[in-house]
Amino acid sequence: MHVLLSGIVGSTAYGLAHAGSDLDRLGLFAVPTEELHGLHRPAESQVTSRPDRTMHEAAKWCRLALGCNPTATELAWLPTELYERRTPLGDELIGIRASFLSAGAVRGAYLGYAAQQVRKLRSRAERGPLDEEARRRSEKHARHVLRLLRQGTGLHRTGTLEVRLPDPAAIRAEAVRMVADPTVGETRLARAEQEFSKPGVLPEYPDERAAEAWLRRVRAAFY
């Protein structure tokens, strides 16, 4: 495995980690190019636990990022100190990260996932009081709903992904309120939908040419 870029993601990157939080790692790698020409293609992802690490092959990462998958996308926007490995090809990818973004994909990925989680929080609340474990899980999901809405609308307005949240304490407090009263999440979701209805800075389509050119440089490097 030729690791091109890897770093610490998830709650630690967002500033939402607490004493018991797992340390999540994400990265991308390139297989030797000749392995792509055989009868059986190599695995596109490798996932391990203890440590929690997800690695995507370069082409798969590009496809995820072109769809504005929030988890894949954040790898190219991490604060510098959270990268654990950066190669020249990884730096090139960071340099073209904005080319993967598009208005519809950002809206669909960030707003779509948040809306799904808000519906789940409402459904849980309607089933009755939560036990302690269920409440902790719900608050975690609520924090990530708020994070996704913040990041998605920020991307829509500015074209820049803010991975580290400036106000994690406020996010935690609002997540507690959201679990106690699901209308808090529904109100937040409605505000985000209004933000997305306004003109933004993202293009209608991503620049696939930049991703294709980068991927071809990766294949040439490991031929």
Side-chain angles (χ1 to χ4, degrees):
M1 181 191 296
H2 303 289
V3 178
L4 306 181
L5 191 66
S6 66
I8 296 170
V9 296
S11 296
T12 300
Y14 312 140
L16 293 173
H18 54 78
S21 294
D22 295 327
L23 196 62
D24 299 313
R25 290 178 166 89
L26 178 67
L28 65 91
F29 66 95
V31 297
T33 302
E34 65 180 11
E35 292 187 14
L36 299 171
H37 299 289
L39 183 62
H40 301 288
R41 295 182 65 84
E44 290 193 307
S45 297
Q46 297 185 16
V47 181
T48 62
S49 57
R50 298 180 184 178
D52 293 320
R53 186 175 76 156
T54 299
M55 302 293 292
H56 296 305
E57 209 283 320
K60 179 173 182 180
W61 185 91
C62 286
R63 291 194 295 271
L64 290 171
L66 287 166
C68 295
N69 174 279
T71 303
T73 298
E74 73 186 54
L75 178 62
W77 296 83
L78 291 176
T80 301
E81 67 272 14
L82 292 181
Y83 285 110
E84 296 183 310
R85 180 167 176 77
R86 287 179 65 162
T87 65
L89 283 166
D91 284 337
E92 286 184 30
L93 185 64
I94 292 171
I96 63 168
R97 61 192 180 184
S99 67
F100 289 88
L101 302 173
S102 60
V106 165
R107 180 188 176 104
Y110 286 80
L111 190 61
Y113 180 80
Q116 179 186 62
Q117 291 302 311
V118 167
R119 288 194 296 271
K120 287 183 179 180
L121 288 169
R122 163 65 75 177
S123 177
R124 288 175 194 155
E126 290 174 347
R127 290 199 294 268
L130 302 175
D131 61 31
E132 185 64 20
E133 179 62 26
R135 181 186 60 77
R136 283 198 298 267
R137 286 198 307 271
S138 293
E139 288 177 2
K140 178 179 180 179
H141 292 157
R143 289 194 295 272
H144 289 299
V145 165
L146 295 168
R147 185 261 307 177
L148 284 166
L149 294 177
R150 171 76 66 83
Q151 291 177 333
T153 54
L155 273 169
H156 177 73
R157 287 193 313 271
T158 69
T160 298
L161 176 61
E162 183 181 42
V163 173
R164 180 165 289 150
L165 301 171
D167 53 352
I171 294 289
R172 291 191 193 96
E174 188 165 5
V176 172
R177 294 195 298 272
M178 188 187 302
V179 171
D181 179 6
T183 62
V184 172
E186 292 162 355
T187 298
R188 275 290 183 180
L189 187 64
R191 290 179 187 170
E193 289 172 340
Q194 289 177 351
E195 285 291 321
F196 275 109
S197 69
K198 299 174 183 176
V201 302
L202 297 177
E204 184 177 2
Y205 301 105
D207 182 4
E208 290 191 5
R209 297 169 301 174
E212 180 73 19
W214 177 81
L215 189 57
R216 288 178 181 271
R217 290 194 295 274
V218 170
R219 299 308 183 216
F222 295 102
Y223 181 71

